Amino acid sequence: MTDSTDSTEPAVGAPERRPGGRTARVRAQVLDAVRAELAEAGPEGLTVEGVAARAGVHRTTVYRRWRDVGGLLVDVIAAAGEMDWQPPDTGSLRGDLTALNREIQESLVVRPSFAVALMAASFHSEQAARAQTRLWADRYAQCEILVERAVARGELPARGATELDARSLLIAATAPVYHQVVLLRADPDPRLPERAAAAAVLAAAAGAFSVPRTEGA
Amino acid sequence: MTDSTDSTEPAVGAPERRPGGRTARVRAQVLDAVRAELAEAGPEGLTVEGVAARAGVHRTTVYRRWRDVGGLLVDVIAAAGEMDWQPPDTGSLRGDLTALNREIQESLVVRPSFAVALMAASFHSEQAARAQTRLWADRYAQCEILVERAVARGELPARGATELDARSLLIAATAPVYHQVVLLRADPDPRLPERAAAAAVLAAAAGAFSVPRTEGA
């Protein structure tokens, strides 16, 4: 993001001049290999050599561009953030949050799960943890539009002296899905995405997640 | 659990005849060492040799009783389950859930955090993951009394054809705290324990977490 254009050494993971050129192809091959190795063996099993072999590139190429396993993890998380992801738009807050939760649950229960592998990696590497924190912050920020739309539609009460803390509402709606699948390792409950969404909407309608207007300013 | 009483080899992590005797002392020393090593270096840094050295016992003692790092992790999680833990009893559901969330948040933000180290270990070892799943299931089961007391006090509406799914309510109340601190790695918000508790209580009062009576039977 901040590397100067006349730099001769590309920054770790930064795209070079020709998108779609050889550099982009190598990056795609290497990151595919990182995802496959992560899903198969977890972050402890990740090595530059293993990634290079699976990607079919020379390991010095990997060392030069990504330096180490931490650099590979950061770039695979950055690539997830570059995906053209759009939050759902079903016409109601409950529908939107249910669709979001279904997408989350799906990404967590598929085997092997890249999403779970990334979380495991964030326990393993401080660098990966920071990259993942940025990715999640971006995704929750993107989802605030769901709450804004619901307020505009009049689905949630507008209150004079308070405003709705959209992020708290989004976390209340989505956290139970992560909690059940990732931390409690319960069998995925197909009704949970809708139930967790409905509970958060009921709480919001009853005045939860309202904060004094000055607080967020 | 299933080892026969005339076995000459004690089961992995099973207490022997004389609680408080040498066996119990060795177990306490070894598990203290596991907790310290986990908190310092994480599950990847855990070795039988390191634990034995820190505990001041011979490594063959550790190998004989716990077999490997997986056995140590399982026993340290089992020991957490043996703690005489009682859920809070403040007189209101909101107060109880707030107190529970404060306890959870405290255990997650203290540095080094044994609770976070255990979660990291559960990504690392299938054995540790299963032991942790059992521990969490026990803790949530212990907490169902909070919801039962609230229903008995008339804080939550009794509904003819439905009953309250206590576990879903408890997960809705507590999941945001884990989500913020462990997965999102946000700075701990001192208001979150109460806010997450309040949101879950509002949702429950509005009819969330109600399931048809037949479903749970």
Side-chain angles (χ1 to χ4, degrees):
Chain A
M1 315 283 182
T2 57
D3 60 324
S4 60
T5 47
D6 60 352
S7 165
T8 49
E9 269 288 299
V12 172
E16 280 180 355
R17 276 146 295 261
R18 295 173 305 148
R22 188 179 169 275
T23 303
R25 275 203 313 281
V26 168
R27 183 181 181 223
Q29 280 165 249
V30 167
L31 295 188
D32 280 347
V34 172
R35 283 184 277 263
E37 296 270 306
L38 262 184
E40 269 179 25
E44 306 104 82
L46 201 66
T47 63
V48 168
E49 285 75 12
V51 166
R54 190 188 273 261
V57 303
H58 201 280
R59 63 187 180 151
T60 54
T61 304
V62 179
Y63 280 120
R64 198 166 49 232
R65 179 147 174 193
W66 288 275
R67 288 197 192 116
D68 54 22
V69 164
L72 287 167
L73 285 170
V74 168
D75 201 30
V76 85
I77 295 168
E82 291 159 20
M83 269 176 52
D84 185 28
W85 183 81
Q86 291 292 328
D89 188 4
T90 66
S92 77
L93 181 59
R94 180 172 167 155
D96 286 352
L97 294 174
T98 299
L100 181 64
N101 273 349
R102 288 209 175 109
E103 200 176 316
I104 290 168
Q105 182 151 296
E106 180 113 350
S107 78
L108 299 174
V109 302
V110 66
R111 289 286 171 270
S113 165
F114 173 60
V116 173
L118 277 195
M119 285 180 225
S122 76
F123 279 101
H124 190 82
S125 148
E126 193 46 49
Q127 244 184 315
R130 278 195 302 269
Q132 185 166 275
T133 299
R134 281 193 300 273
L135 172 61
W136 290 52
D138 285 354
R139 285 288 161 88
Y140 277 109
Q142 273 183 284
C143 287
E144 291 189 6
I145 185 86
L146 306 189
V147 181
E148 288 159 22
R149 279 195 223 121
V151 171
R153 279 189 302 253
E155 284 186 64
L156 296 174
R159 282 151 203 270
T162 62
E163 62 187 346
L164 202 60
D165 178 352
R167 195 166 186 273
S168 293
L169 193 167
L170 292 165
I171 286 173
T174 57
V177 177
Y178 289 102
H179 198 66
Q180 283 274 25
V181 180
V182 181
L183 297 180
L184 304 185
R185 284 163 213 263
D187 288 332
D189 176 350
R191 298 160 307 185
L192 180 61
E194 179 155 28
R195 288 188 176 170
V201 173
L202 284 171
F209 319 120
S210 291
V211 292
R213 245 178 221 294
T214 46
E215 195 178 302
Chain B
M1 314 287 178
T2 56
D3 61 325
S4 59
T5 46
D6 60 354
S7 164
T8 50
E9 271 286 301
V12 172
E16 279 179 356
R17 278 143 294 261
R18 294 173 306 147
R22 187 178 170 277
T23 303
R25 273 203 315 280
V26 168
R27 183 181 182 224
Q29 280 165 249
V30 167
L31 295 188
D32 279 347
V34 172
R35 282 183 278 263
E37 296 270 307
L38 262 184
E40 269 178 27
E44 306 103 84
L46 201 66
T47 62
V48 168
E49 285 75 13
V51 167
R54 190 187 273 261
V57 303
H58 201 280
R59 64 187 179 152
T60 55
T61 304
V62 179
Y63 280 119
R64 198 167 48 233
R65 178 148 175 193
W66 287 275
R67 288 197 193 115
D68 54 22
V69 164
L72 287 168
L73 284 171
V74 167
D75 201 28
V76 85
I77 295 168
E82 291 159 19
M83 269 176 52
D84 184 28
W85 183 82
Q86 291 293 327
D89 189 2
T90 65
S92 77
L93 181 59
R94 180 173 168 154
D96 286 353
L97 294 174
T98 299
L100 181 62
N101 273 349
R102 289 210 175 108
E103 200 177 314
I104 290 168
Q105 181 152 295
E106 180 113 351
S107 78
L108 298 175
V109 302
V110 67
R111 289 286 169 270
S113 164
F114 173 61
V116 173
L118 276 195
M119 284 180 226
S122 77
F123 279 100
H124 190 82
S125 149
E126 193 46 48
Q127 244 185 315
R130 279 196 301 270
Q132 185 165 276
T133 298
R134 282 194 299 273
L135 173 61
W136 290 51
D138 285 354
R139 285 289 161 89
Y140 277 109
Q142 273 183 282
C143 287
E144 291 190 6
I145 184 86
L146 306 189
V147 181
E148 288 159 21
R149 279 195 223 120
V151 170
R153 279 189 302 253
E155 284 185 65
L156 296 174
R159 283 152 202 271
T162 61
E163 62 188 344
L164 201 61
D165 179 353
R167 194 166 187 273
S168 293
L169 193 167
L170 292 166
I171 286 173
T174 57
V177 177
Y178 289 102
H179 199 65
Q180 283 275 23
V181 180
V182 181
L183 297 181
L184 304 185
R185 285 163 213 263
D187 288 332
D189 176 351
R191 299 159 308 186
L192 180 61
E194 178 154 29
R195 288 188 175 169
V201 174
L202 283 172
F209 321 119
S210 290
V211 292
R213 247 178 219 294
T214 47
E215 196 177 301

